[in-house]
PDB file of all heavy atoms in Angstrom:
ATOM      1  N   GLU A 521      -4.985  18.660   7.123  1.00 98.00           N
ATOM      2  CA  GLU A 521      -4.842  17.801   5.956  1.00 98.00           C
ATOM      3  C   GLU A 521      -5.403  16.403   6.208  1.00 98.00           C
ATOM      4  O   GLU A 521      -6.219  15.841   5.455  1.00 98.00           O
ATOM      5  CB  GLU A 521      -3.388  17.720   5.578  1.00 98.00           C
ATOM      6  CG  GLU A 521      -3.164  17.169   4.209  1.00 98.00           C
ATOM      7  CD  GLU A 521      -1.654  17.096   3.824  1.00 98.00           C
ATOM      8  OE1 GLU A 521      -0.867  17.938   4.377  1.00 98.00           O
ATOM      9  OE2 GLU A 521      -1.296  16.241   3.050  1.00 98.00           O
ATOM     10  N   LYS A 522      -4.885  15.756   7.288  1.00 98.00           N
ATOM     11  CA  LYS A 522      -5.352  14.369   7.558  1.00 98.00           C
ATOM     12  C   LYS A 522      -6.799  14.310   8.048  1.00 98.00           C
ATOM     13  O   LYS A 522      -7.500  13.395   7.708  1.00 98.00           O
ATOM     14  CB  LYS A 522      -4.432  13.697   8.600  1.00 98.00           C
ATOM     15  CG  LYS A 522      -3.074  13.266   8.041  1.00 98.00           C
ATOM     16  CD  LYS A 522      -2.476  12.182   8.895  1.00 98.00           C
ATOM     17  CE  LYS A 522      -1.197  11.743   8.212  1.00 98.00           C
ATOM     18  NZ  LYS A 522      -0.320  10.990   9.112  1.00 98.00           N
ATOM     19  N   GLY A 523      -7.189  15.369   8.825  1.00 98.00           N
ATOM     20  CA  GLY A 523      -8.562  15.375   9.268  1.00 98.00           C
ATOM     21  C   GLY A 523      -9.542  15.454   8.146  1.00 98.00           C
ATOM     22  O   GLY A 523     -10.533  14.730   8.072  1.00 98.00           O
ATOM     23  N   THR A 524      -9.265  16.370   7.227  1.00 98.00           N
ATOM     24  CA  THR A 524     -10.186  16.557   6.079  1.00 98.00           C
ATOM     25  C   THR A 524     -10.287  15.277   5.246  1.00 98.00           C
ATOM     26  O   THR A 524     -11.319  14.974   4.667  1.00 98.00           O
ATOM     27  CB  THR A 524      -9.697  17.750   5.226  1.00 98.00           C
ATOM     28  OG1 THR A 524      -9.552  18.903   6.089  1.00 98.00           O
ATOM     29  CG2 THR A 524     -10.685  18.094   4.121  1.00 98.00           C
ATOM     30  N   ALA A 525      -9.160  14.533   5.192  1.00 98.00           N
ATOM     31  CA  ALA A 525      -9.132  13.336   4.373  1.00 98.00           C
ATOM     32  C   ALA A 525      -9.909  12.139   5.018  1.00 98.00           C
ATOM     33  O   ALA A 525     -10.205  11.197   4.357  1.00 98.00           O
ATOM     34  CB  ALA A 525      -7.667  12.904   4.121  1.00 98.00           C
ATOM     35  N   LEU A 526     -10.132  12.234   6.319  1.00 98.00           N
ATOM     36  CA  LEU A 526     -10.908  11.162   6.972  1.00 98.00           C
ATOM     37  C   LEU A 526     -12.375  11.353   6.654  1.00 98.00           C
ATOM     38  O   LEU A 526     -12.971  12.348   6.976  1.00 98.00           O
ATOM     39  CB  LEU A 526     -10.692  11.192   8.476  1.00 98.00           C
ATOM     40  CG  LEU A 526      -9.302  10.766   9.002  1.00 98.00           C
ATOM     41  CD1 LEU A 526      -9.164  11.095  10.505  1.00 98.00           C
ATOM     42  CD2 LEU A 526      -9.098   9.274   8.772  1.00 98.00           C
ATOM     43  N   ALA A 527     -13.005  10.311   6.038  1.00 98.00           N
ATOM     44  CA  ALA A 527     -14.377  10.480   5.507  1.00 98.00           C
ATOM     45  C   ALA A 527     -15.342  10.786   6.681  1.00 98.00           C
ATOM     46  O   ALA A 527     -16.328  11.484   6.486  1.00 98.00           O
ATOM     47  CB  ALA A 527     -14.782   9.192   4.848  1.00 98.00           C
ATOM     48  N   ASP A 528     -15.096  10.248   7.898  1.00 98.00           N
ATOM     49  CA  ASP A 528     -16.000  10.492   8.991  1.00 98.00           C
ATOM     50  C   ASP A 528     -15.612  11.642   9.882  1.00 98.00           C
ATOM     51  O   ASP A 528     -16.147  11.779  10.984  1.00 98.00           O
ATOM     52  CB  ASP A 528     -16.251   9.187   9.791  1.00 98.00           C
ATOM     53  CG  ASP A 528     -14.989   8.567  10.313  1.00 98.00           C
ATOM     54  OD1 ASP A 528     -13.924   9.112  10.075  1.00 98.00           O
ATOM     55  OD2 ASP A 528     -15.060   7.508  10.965  1.00 98.00           O
ATOM     56  N   VAL A 529     -14.655  12.454   9.447  1.00 98.00           N
ATOM     57  CA  VAL A 529     -14.293  13.673  10.150  1.00 98.00           C
ATOM     58  C   VAL A 529     -14.457  14.897   9.280  1.00 98.00           C
ATOM     59  O   VAL A 529     -15.209  15.819   9.570  1.00 98.00           O
ATOM     60  CB  VAL A 529     -12.792  13.566  10.682  1.00 98.00           C
ATOM     61  CG1 VAL A 529     -12.373  14.897  11.304  1.00 98.00           C
ATOM     62  CG2 VAL A 529     -12.637  12.410  11.679  1.00 98.00           C
ATOM     63  N   GLY A 530     -13.761  14.898   8.094  1.00 98.00           N
ATOM     64  CA  GLY A 530     -13.915  15.958   7.110  1.00 98.00           C
ATOM     65  C   GLY A 530     -13.639  17.322   7.737  1.00 98.00           C
ATOM     66  O   GLY A 530     -12.676  17.466   8.500  1.00 98.00           O
ATOM     67  N   PRO A 531     -14.498  18.351   7.410  1.00 98.00           N
ATOM     68  CA  PRO A 531     -14.203  19.664   7.885  1.00 98.00           C
ATOM     69  C   PRO A 531     -14.401  19.867   9.383  1.00 98.00           C
ATOM     70  O   PRO A 531     -14.212  20.969   9.934  1.00 98.00           O
ATOM     71  CB  PRO A 531     -15.242  20.522   7.145  1.00 98.00           C
ATOM     72  CG  PRO A 531     -16.359  19.598   6.823  1.00 98.00           C
ATOM     73  CD  PRO A 531     -15.754  18.239   6.637  1.00 98.00           C
ATOM     74  N   ASN A 532     -14.851  18.796  10.081  1.00 98.00           N
ATOM     75  CA  ASN A 532     -15.137  18.955  11.513  1.00 98.00           C
ATOM     76  C   ASN A 532     -13.870  18.703  12.411  1.00 98.00           C
ATOM     77  O   ASN A 532     -14.005  18.717  13.643  1.00 98.00           O
ATOM     78  CB  ASN A 532     -16.216  17.886  11.862  1.00 98.00           C
ATOM     79  CG  ASN A 532     -17.436  18.036  11.026  1.00 98.00           C
ATOM     80  OD1 ASN A 532     -18.124  19.080  11.109  1.00 98.00           O
ATOM     81  ND2 ASN A 532     -17.699  17.073  10.200  1.00 98.00           N
ATOM     82  N   TRP A 533     -12.703  18.521  11.748  1.00 98.00           N
ATOM     83  CA  TRP A 533     -11.489  18.172  12.545  1.00 98.00           C
ATOM     84  C   TRP A 533     -11.125  19.152  13.684  1.00 98.00           C
ATOM     85  O   TRP A 533     -10.564  18.720  14.671  1.00 98.00           O
ATOM     86  CB  TRP A 533     -10.300  17.965  11.596  1.00 98.00           C
ATOM     87  CG  TRP A 533      -9.924  19.212  10.859  1.00 98.00           C
ATOM     88  CD1 TRP A 533     -10.406  19.645   9.640  1.00 98.00           C
ATOM     89  CD2 TRP A 533      -9.036  20.209  11.298  1.00 98.00           C
ATOM     90  NE1 TRP A 533      -9.880  20.819   9.263  1.00 98.00           N
ATOM     91  CE2 TRP A 533      -9.016  21.220  10.283  1.00 98.00           C
ATOM     92  CE3 TRP A 533      -8.225  20.398  12.411  1.00 98.00           C
ATOM     93  CZ2 TRP A 533      -8.223  22.362  10.390  1.00 98.00           C
ATOM     94  CZ3 TRP A 533      -7.428  21.569  12.504  1.00 98.00           C
ATOM     95  CH2 TRP A 533      -7.447  22.527  11.512  1.00 98.00           C
ATOM     96  N   PRO A 534     -11.466  20.518  13.544  1.00 98.00           N
ATOM     97  CA  PRO A 534     -11.041  21.349  14.685  1.00 98.00           C
ATOM     98  C   PRO A 534     -11.841  21.231  15.904  1.00 98.00           C
ATOM     99  O   PRO A 534     -11.563  21.782  16.952  1.00 98.00           O
ATOM    100  CB  PRO A 534     -11.228  22.792  14.096  1.00 98.00           C
ATOM    101  CG  PRO A 534     -11.440  22.610  12.629  1.00 98.00           C
ATOM    102  CD  PRO A 534     -12.053  21.277  12.477  1.00 98.00           C
ATOM    103  N   GLY A 535     -12.925  20.411  15.874  1.00 98.00           N
ATOM    104  CA  GLY A 535     -13.887  20.346  16.977  1.00 98.00           C
ATOM    105  C   GLY A 535     -13.570  19.394  18.125  1.00 98.00           C
ATOM    106  O   GLY A 535     -14.358  19.318  19.080  1.00 98.00           O
ATOM    107  N   PHE A 536     -12.420  18.754  18.020  1.00 98.00           N
ATOM    108  CA  PHE A 536     -12.112  17.734  19.108  1.00 98.00           C
ATOM    109  C   PHE A 536     -10.616  17.683  19.381  1.00 98.00           C
ATOM    110  O   PHE A 536      -9.765  18.056  18.628  1.00 98.00           O
ATOM    111  CB  PHE A 536     -12.631  16.340  18.730  1.00 98.00           C
ATOM    112  CG  PHE A 536     -11.797  15.669  17.690  1.00 98.00           C
ATOM    113  CD1 PHE A 536     -10.712  14.880  17.987  1.00 98.00           C
ATOM    114  CD2 PHE A 536     -12.128  15.759  16.326  1.00 98.00           C
ATOM    115  CE1 PHE A 536      -9.964  14.232  17.046  1.00 98.00           C
ATOM    116  CE2 PHE A 536     -11.366  15.102  15.337  1.00 98.00           C
ATOM    117  CZ  PHE A 536     -10.282  14.355  15.692  1.00 98.00           C
ATOM    118  N   VAL A 537     -10.369  17.200  20.586  1.00 98.00           N
ATOM    119  CA  VAL A 537      -8.994  16.762  21.026  1.00 98.00           C
ATOM    120  C   VAL A 537      -9.184  15.392  21.672  1.00 98.00           C
ATOM    121  O   VAL A 537     -10.083  15.192  22.512  1.00 98.00           O
ATOM    122  CB  VAL A 537      -8.427  17.707  22.066  1.00 98.00           C
ATOM    123  CG1 VAL A 537      -7.198  17.142  22.695  1.00 98.00           C
ATOM    124  CG2 VAL A 537      -8.124  19.069  21.424  1.00 98.00           C
ATOM    125  N   CYS A 538      -8.382  14.438  21.254  1.00 99.00           N
ATOM    126  CA  CYS A 538      -8.417  13.124  21.956  1.00 99.00           C
ATOM    127  C   CYS A 538      -7.412  13.108  23.067  1.00 99.00           C
ATOM    128  O   CYS A 538      -6.227  13.442  22.877  1.00 99.00           O
ATOM    129  CB  CYS A 538      -8.123  12.002  20.996  1.00 99.00           C
ATOM    130  SG  CYS A 538      -9.517  11.484  20.025  1.00 99.00           S
ATOM    131  N   ILE A 539      -7.897  12.805  24.286  1.00 99.00           N
ATOM    132  CA  ILE A 539      -7.030  12.589  25.423  1.00 99.00           C
ATOM    133  C   ILE A 539      -7.304  11.113  25.893  1.00 99.00           C
ATOM    134  O   ILE A 539      -8.393  10.849  26.322  1.00 99.00           O
ATOM    135  CB  ILE A 539      -7.341  13.539  26.603  1.00 99.00           C
ATOM    136  CG1 ILE A 539      -7.211  15.005  26.147  1.00 99.00           C
ATOM    137  CG2 ILE A 539      -6.459  13.266  27.828  1.00 99.00           C
ATOM    138  CD1 ILE A 539      -5.804  15.479  25.903  1.00 99.00           C
ATOM    139  N   GLU A 540      -6.307  10.301  25.699  1.00 98.00           N
ATOM    140  CA  GLU A 540      -6.539   8.842  25.890  1.00 98.00           C
ATOM    141  C   GLU A 540      -5.705   8.331  27.083  1.00 98.00           C
ATOM    142  O   GLU A 540      -4.542   8.639  27.157  1.00 98.00           O
ATOM    143  CB  GLU A 540      -6.126   8.108  24.632  1.00 98.00           C
ATOM    144  CG  GLU A 540      -6.728   8.714  23.359  1.00 98.00           C
ATOM    145  CD  GLU A 540      -6.131   8.211  22.081  1.00 98.00           C
ATOM    146  OE1 GLU A 540      -5.718   7.029  22.044  1.00 98.00           O
ATOM    147  OE2 GLU A 540      -6.010   8.969  21.112  1.00 98.00           O
ATOM    148  N   ALA A 541      -6.373   7.544  27.953  1.00 99.00           N
ATOM    149  CA  ALA A 541      -5.690   6.891  28.994  1.00 99.00           C
ATOM    150  C   ALA A 541      -5.368   5.465  28.520  1.00 99.00           C
ATOM    151  O   ALA A 541      -6.309   4.791  28.046  1.00 99.00           O
ATOM    152  CB  ALA A 541      -6.551   6.826  30.283  1.00 99.00           C
ATOM    153  N   GLY A 542      -4.144   5.032  28.607  1.00 98.00           N
ATOM    154  CA  GLY A 542      -3.880   3.669  28.115  1.00 98.00           C
ATOM    155  C   GLY A 542      -2.550   3.115  28.618  1.00 98.00           C
ATOM    156  O   GLY A 542      -1.887   3.672  29.455  1.00 98.00           O
ATOM    157  N   ASN A 543      -2.352   1.881  28.122  1.00 98.00           N
ATOM    158  CA  ASN A 543      -1.091   1.198  28.355  1.00 98.00           C
ATOM    159  C   ASN A 543      -0.721   0.541  27.040  1.00 98.00           C
ATOM    160  O   ASN A 543      -1.367  -0.446  26.583  1.00 98.00           O
ATOM    161  CB  ASN A 543      -1.311   0.071  29.408  1.00 98.00           C
ATOM    162  CG  ASN A 543      -1.649   0.697  30.782  1.00 98.00           C
ATOM    163  OD1 ASN A 543      -0.814   1.339  31.405  1.00 98.00           O
ATOM    164  ND2 ASN A 543      -2.912   0.562  31.214  1.00 98.00           N
ATOM    165  N   VAL A 544       0.278   1.137  26.374  1.00 98.00           N
ATOM    166  CA  VAL A 544       0.556   0.702  24.987  1.00 98.00           C
ATOM    167  C   VAL A 544       2.080   0.535  24.833  1.00 98.00           C
ATOM    168  O   VAL A 544       2.892   0.977  25.638  1.00 98.00           O
ATOM    169  CB  VAL A 544       0.068   1.776  23.986  1.00 98.00           C
ATOM    170  CG1 VAL A 544      -1.395   2.118  24.243  1.00 98.00           C
ATOM    171  CG2 VAL A 544       0.884   3.060  23.999  1.00 98.00           C
ATOM    172  N   GLY A 545       2.448  -0.147  23.704  1.00 97.00           N
ATOM    173  CA  GLY A 545       3.845  -0.372  23.392  1.00 97.00           C
ATOM    174  C   GLY A 545       4.570  -1.088  24.511  1.00 97.00           C
ATOM    175  O   GLY A 545       4.046  -2.123  25.008  1.00 97.00           O
ATOM    176  N   ASP A 546       5.699  -0.522  24.989  1.00 96.00           N
ATOM    177  CA  ASP A 546       6.482  -1.155  26.077  1.00 96.00           C
ATOM    178  C   ASP A 546       5.704  -1.255  27.374  1.00 96.00           C
ATOM    179  O   ASP A 546       6.080  -1.916  28.258  1.00 96.00           O
ATOM    180  CB  ASP A 546       7.769  -0.370  26.307  1.00 96.00           C
ATOM    181  CG  ASP A 546       8.726  -0.549  25.119  1.00 96.00           C
ATOM    182  OD1 ASP A 546       8.546  -1.402  24.317  1.00 96.00           O
ATOM    183  OD2 ASP A 546       9.704   0.263  25.063  1.00 96.00           O
ATOM    184  N   ASP A 547       4.662  -0.395  27.495  1.00 98.00           N
ATOM    185  CA  ASP A 547       3.852  -0.370  28.730  1.00 98.00           C
ATOM    186  C   ASP A 547       2.603  -1.286  28.632  1.00 98.00           C
ATOM    187  O   ASP A 547       1.711  -1.123  29.424  1.00 98.00           O
ATOM    188  CB  ASP A 547       3.429   1.068  29.005  1.00 98.00           C
ATOM    189  CG  ASP A 547       4.645   1.942  29.359  1.00 98.00           C
ATOM    190  OD1 ASP A 547       5.414   1.534  30.225  1.00 98.00           O
ATOM    191  OD2 ASP A 547       4.826   2.990  28.771  1.00 98.00           O
ATOM    192  N   ALA A 548       2.587  -2.142  27.640  1.00 98.00           N
ATOM    193  CA  ALA A 548       1.462  -3.123  27.554  1.00 98.00           C
ATOM    194  C   ALA A 548       1.363  -3.858  28.865  1.00 98.00           C
ATOM    195  O   ALA A 548       2.329  -4.039  29.602  1.00 98.00           O
ATOM    196  CB  ALA A 548       1.726  -4.089  26.405  1.00 98.00           C
TER     197      ALA A 548
END
Side-chain angles (χ1 to χ4, degrees):
E521 194 180 333
K522 283 202 177 164
T524 306
L526 288 170
D528 55 1
V529 175
N532 305 294
W533 63 271
F536 74 88
V537 168
C538 280
I539 302 289
E540 308 166 36
N543 295 291
V544 309
D546 291 346
D547 293 309

